[in-house]
Amino acid sequence: QINFGSIFLGKVPVHEEVHRCAGQIYGYKGCIRDFQVNHKELFIIDEALEGRNVENCNVPICDYHPCHNGGTCTSDEENWYCECPKLYTGKLCQFATCDENPCGNGATCFPKSRRDAVCLCPYGRSGILCSDAINITQPSFSGTDVFGYTSFLAYSTIPNVTFYYEFHLKFQLANHHSALQDNLIFFTGQKGQGLNGDDFLELGLRNGRVVYSYNLGSGTATIISKPLDLTLNIHVIHLGRNLQKGWLKVDDQKNKTVTSPGRLVGLNVFSQFYLGGYREYTPELLPKGPRFKNGFQGCIFDVQVRTSLNKGFKSPGTPEGHPNSGRSVGQCKDSPCSLIKCRNGGKCIESGSTVYCDCLTGWKGAFCTETVSVCDPEHDPPHLCQQGSTCVPLPSGYTCHCPLGTTGTYCEQG
């Protein structure tokens, strides 16, 4: 063993014998922290044998705004730490659940908690990680989910609808209550931005009635049906327009007509044809007038369109019947939860093709198989470690590893 003697920080005491090569030795002016020797941290104040003219160093770290993702920086004389918003963690709030995206096939990753994610599946995919391929012949839409995302299908722009179009479609409600909400069935519009004066065509449900609206650029025309007969399992809609005159027929109700205001006679739309909802849907994206607050809840199928009396009806899309994209759309009457078994009392939640386990308190993970540690952010009650300290679980309870300059059971003392 070799004794290297004492370690001095700042300046060598005058009573020590020091070999000076040249000139005078000046003491260090500044701050020293997180001092390590051979990867072992030395607690500068607590382990010092003696010292002189040393005081706490107040470096305004928070002036440099080190916290990411909206974190709040808090500092005292020696320490600083970031208070992270929900869904973010790490010393600098730099980590989010979806940073290492576990979802496959282009799914939308949404952080359900700081540790668990939900995969919102694209068209044709289902499962916890959207790894299962599904065949969709009758699309099932789930409306707006608890995360604020809307299920939808997006088809290529329907050509040649300027002066004439007819639509036929059928729908089935997920429940009668959904017919009393504001539900978008389909939409297409100029640029898709919903600015006042944009041309648009939309169909939806409001207060149990079918609402059909269009704007040719000089004012909105709207037809509202009679209340739906909720004893019917499947509802049938026929609608169309020739120049300014439009018509709507729902189930066995009488045909209703309307004439759009102004002089313009052509519908000029360039956006995709959205069915069941809208990409990143918010009502403000839709044109002024009858904005629908929610996506459709139920099944929409047998959608057919023609743009001339001399043409036959076709399904939207290029190639015919194929959407460009979609999200959280399942197959009507199929339940993705039939293939998922949540453990430890967890409940399977389905939203179209999107599926996840809602775990009981104390459990986490994709299938609720992992216990929530006393140090996990999800634990109730939360741990009491303060000021950037590290919570370490024990066989019974936990302990707090304090950063330099703090002490106490929960590192609450400076």
Side-chain angles (χ1 to χ4, degrees):
Q1 294 183 353
I2 301 176
N3 184 2
F4 287 98
S6 301
I7 295 176
F8 300 97
L9 289 181
K11 184 179 180 181
V12 178
V14 294
H15 63 269
E16 296 290 335
E17 294 183 2
V18 178
H19 294 285
R20 293 175 172 84
C21 293
Q24 183 178 1
I25 294 180
Y26 292 94
Y28 173 77
K29 292 182 179 181
C31 301
I32 298 174
R33 60 177 301 160
D34 298 335
F35 184 63
Q36 295 184 5
V37 176
N38 293 337
H39 306 291
K40 179 182 183 300
E41 182 177 1
L42 297 182
F43 295 94
I44 298 174
I45 301 299
D46 295 346
E47 297 184 14
L49 299 179
E50 60 177 314
R52 185 173 64 236
N53 297 333
V54 178
E55 60 184 5
N56 279 329
C57 184
N58 186 12
V59 180
I61 296 293
C62 289
D63 290 350
Y64 298 96
H65 307 291
C67 306
H68 300 182
N69 299 305
T72 302
C73 183
T74 302
S75 65
D76 55 22
E77 286 77 13
E78 286 198 15
N79 297 285
W80 63 274
Y81 60 96
C82 294
E83 295 180 359
C84 300
K86 291 183 178 179
L87 311 180
Y88 293 97
T89 185
K91 175 70 174 179
L92 304 178
C93 307
Q94 72 272 41
F95 300 121
T97 306
C98 288
D99 276 354
E100 297 180 3
N101 190 348
C103 307
N105 299 294
T108 301
C109 180
F110 187 87
K112 184 177 68 171
S113 70
R114 295 187 185 184
R115 301 295 177 89
D116 291 331
V118 171
C119 300
L120 309 181
C121 296
Y123 175 74
R125 292 286 174 172
S126 185
I128 291 286
L129 299 179
C130 305
S131 55
D132 302 328
I134 56 173
N135 182 33
I136 299 176
T137 57
Q138 294 186 345
S140 172
F141 301 87
S142 54
T144 306
D145 61 29
V146 296
F147 310 112
Y149 288 85
T150 302
S151 63
F152 72 92
L153 291 177
Y155 296 85
S156 56
T157 302
I158 298 177
N160 305 319
V161 295
T162 305
F163 302 115
Y164 182 91
Y165 59 75
E166 283 185 77
F167 285 88
H168 293 176
L169 62 90
K170 299 176 183 178
F171 69 84
Q172 185 177 20
L173 298 171
N175 55 68
H176 290 169
H177 177 66
S178 67
L180 303 178
Q181 301 178 7
D182 290 344
N183 303 91
L184 183 69
I185 297 178
F186 71 63
F187 165 81
T188 185
Q190 189 180 59
K191 303 177 185 176
Q193 297 300 315
L195 302 177
N196 191 23
D198 275 356
D199 293 19
F200 69 86
L201 163 64
E202 65 179 353
L203 180 71
L205 295 174
R206 176 171 287 123
N207 298 326
R209 302 168 185 259
V210 176
V211 180
Y212 162 43
S213 297
Y214 58 91
N215 189 333
L216 307 180
S218 55
T220 300
T222 300
I223 304 176
I224 302 176
S225 75
K226 292 182 178 181
L228 291 173
D229 181 359
L230 299 181
T231 63
L232 297 176
N233 186 39
I234 296 177
H235 301 275
V236 181
I237 295 179
H238 294 170
L239 64 87
R241 181 190 62 85
N242 182 23
L243 301 178
Q244 290 180 285
K245 185 176 181 179
W247 65 90
L248 170 69
K249 180 172 175 55
V250 177
D251 296 332
D252 293 329
Q253 299 179 17
K254 291 184 178 180
N255 190 62
K256 301 183 79 171
T257 61
V258 70
T259 301
S260 62
R263 298 181 178 180
L264 299 180
V265 297
L267 177 68
N268 300 300
V269 294
F270 308 107
S271 79
Q272 298 183 93
F273 179 75
Y274 290 96
L275 187 67
Y278 202 83
R279 184 189 302 274
E280 312 312 340
Y281 172 71
T282 60
E284 288 71 26
L285 291 174
L286 296 180
K288 290 188 175 181
R291 291 172 173 163
F292 295 95
K293 296 180 180 178
N294 303 294
F296 188 80
Q297 301 174 50
C299 303
I300 305 175
F301 47 94
D302 295 347
V303 180
Q304 300 282 301
V305 60
R306 69 176 179 178
T307 55
S308 171
L309 283 171
N310 300 323
K311 294 182 179 180
F313 282 91
K314 292 184 177 181
S315 299
T318 305
E320 182 181 349
H322 291 265
N324 293 338
S325 62
R327 180 176 57 219
S328 298
V329 175
Q331 170 68 2
C332 193
K333 298 181 181 180
D334 283 356
S335 171
C337 279
S338 62
L339 304 175
I340 301 297
K341 186 169 183 179
C342 304
R343 307 289 181 175
N344 300 303
K347 181 181 179 182
C348 182
I349 304 296
E350 60 182 66
S351 182
S353 62
T354 295
V355 59
Y356 64 94
C357 291
D358 188 19
C359 304
L360 293 178
T361 301
W363 297 94
K364 65 178 181 178
F367 298 97
C368 307
T369 55
E370 305 171 41
T371 58
V372 175
S373 164
V374 68
C375 289
D376 285 345
E378 302 92 338
H379 191 269
D380 187 19
H383 66 79
L384 301 177
C385 298
Q386 300 180 21
Q387 304 192 75
S389 58
T390 303
C391 177
V392 179
L394 299 174
S396 58
Y398 62 94
T399 187
C400 302
H401 283 187
C402 302
L404 185 66
T406 64
T407 186
T409 304
Y410 305 114
C411 308
E412 73 279 8
Q413 301 174 20

